[in-house]
Amino acid sequence: MFKSETGVEARLSALCASPELSDVVYPFEFIKGCVFAAAAAPEIPMPEVWLPWVIKKSNQLTSVEQADELTDLLMGLLQNQLKDMSDEIIQLPAGIGLKGNSQQKRLSLWCQGMLLGHSQLEGVWQNAWDKMQVTKQEEMQKLQKDLSHCLYMFTTFADMSLAVTQAKQRGNDNLEDMLPKIFQSFGNTMKIYVGLSGRLVDFLPNQFETFEQQ
């Protein structure tokens, strides 16, 4: 279920945690979630669309060299993610899970980044749904239910404390105890999400090749 870290990821993780950038960019796991969402979109966004997602609005990069290095590593991360998806390797990064506060925090950050990316690309998803509705309305409705399930899963683990509180307010006092069991299907949910995009891409121009590593 978990994917080992690549060289690009190790360098980007170190850069994000560096004193120079730790207050400038979002945490590494958050960035990985954003990139997952960008790579899994029915139409892959151009770099100028998704690169700003990883920068905190209140801060700025201090030099051209710094910006170039960050951009190169982020593009490398996207290319690696696209290749993994092409090879049907769809897994959470290593060190993310429910074993201890550190793993849980990383899981929440990944989910938060993924949800941010998805929200930024809702127009792309909606455009695909609109085009699919013309000829495949019944199938579209089923796929939309699958998407809702995926987003519910990601939202639950993006803020587990909030999810548990809200569940109790609805009369469900068992969610906290059920989280480990629910998490067992997290990897399958990731695959469903990517599969939905793959189904929708038939209704949009396929830009995958544009971002493949040459």
Side-chain angles (χ1 to χ4, degrees):
M1 182 177 177
F2 300 100
K3 181 180 179 297
S4 299
E5 192 171 66
T6 66
V8 167
E9 291 168 345
R11 289 167 58 201
L12 181 57
S13 178
L15 187 64
C16 292
S18 68
E20 295 81 11
L21 285 185
S22 61
D23 291 331
V24 177
V25 299
Y26 284 101
F28 177 60
E29 289 78 15
F30 183 97
I31 292 173
K32 291 204 72 174
C34 285
V35 171
F36 180 87
E43 186 174 2
I44 301 165
M46 298 299 290
E48 59 266 26
V49 172
W50 68 269
L51 286 175
W53 301 345
V54 311
I55 308 294
K56 295 180 181 178
K57 292 182 179 179
S58 59
N59 296 281
Q60 297 181 8
L61 298 170
T62 59
S63 70
V64 174
E65 292 78 11
Q66 195 179 64
D68 288 345
E69 181 182 13
L70 179 61
T71 299
D72 288 345
L73 289 173
L74 288 168
M75 291 302 297
L77 182 63
L78 177 67
Q79 289 165 351
N80 287 349
Q81 183 68 81
L82 288 170
K83 185 178 186 305
D84 285 345
M85 289 178 176
S86 178
D87 294 339
E88 298 184 357
I89 302 172
I90 303 168
Q91 301 168 321
L92 274 172
I96 293 180
L98 292 180
K99 296 180 180 179
N101 291 334
S102 179
Q103 282 200 7
Q104 290 181 21
K105 182 178 179 180
R106 291 171 182 162
L107 173 61
S108 292
L109 285 168
W110 188 94
C111 290
Q112 290 165 20
M114 189 275 154
L115 289 168
L116 171 69
H118 182 85
S119 69
Q120 293 289 331
L121 295 169
E122 280 186 346
V124 173
W125 283 84
Q126 187 61 52
N127 188 28
W129 294 125
D130 291 343
K131 293 183 182 301
M132 186 179 190
Q133 187 175 19
V134 175
T135 56
K136 304 282 185 178
Q137 184 172 5
E138 185 173 337
E139 181 181 359
M140 181 201 70
Q141 291 173 346
K142 178 187 180 303
L143 295 181
Q144 285 183 325
K145 288 182 180 178
D146 290 342
L147 177 61
S148 294
H149 171 77
C150 292
L151 295 178
Y152 177 78
M153 172 78 81
F154 298 141
T155 300
T156 296
F157 288 101
D159 191 334
M160 286 172 270
S161 296
L162 178 61
V164 169
T165 298
Q166 291 177 338
K168 289 180 178 179
Q169 291 173 346
R170 296 192 299 269
N172 177 9
D173 296 329
N174 300 320
L175 179 60
E176 188 170 9
D177 294 334
M178 291 293 295
L179 285 177
K181 182 176 181 180
I182 295 171
F183 182 68
Q184 292 177 7
S185 64
F186 196 97
N188 188 55
T189 299
M190 293 172 65
K191 293 176 183 177
I192 292 172
Y193 182 83
V194 174
L196 289 170
S197 174
R199 182 67 188 92
L200 289 172
V201 81
D202 293 338
F203 299 89
L204 292 172
N206 188 359
Q207 295 188 357
F208 185 93
E209 294 80 2
T210 305
F211 296 93
E212 280 191 299
Q213 181 71 50
Q214 299 298 322

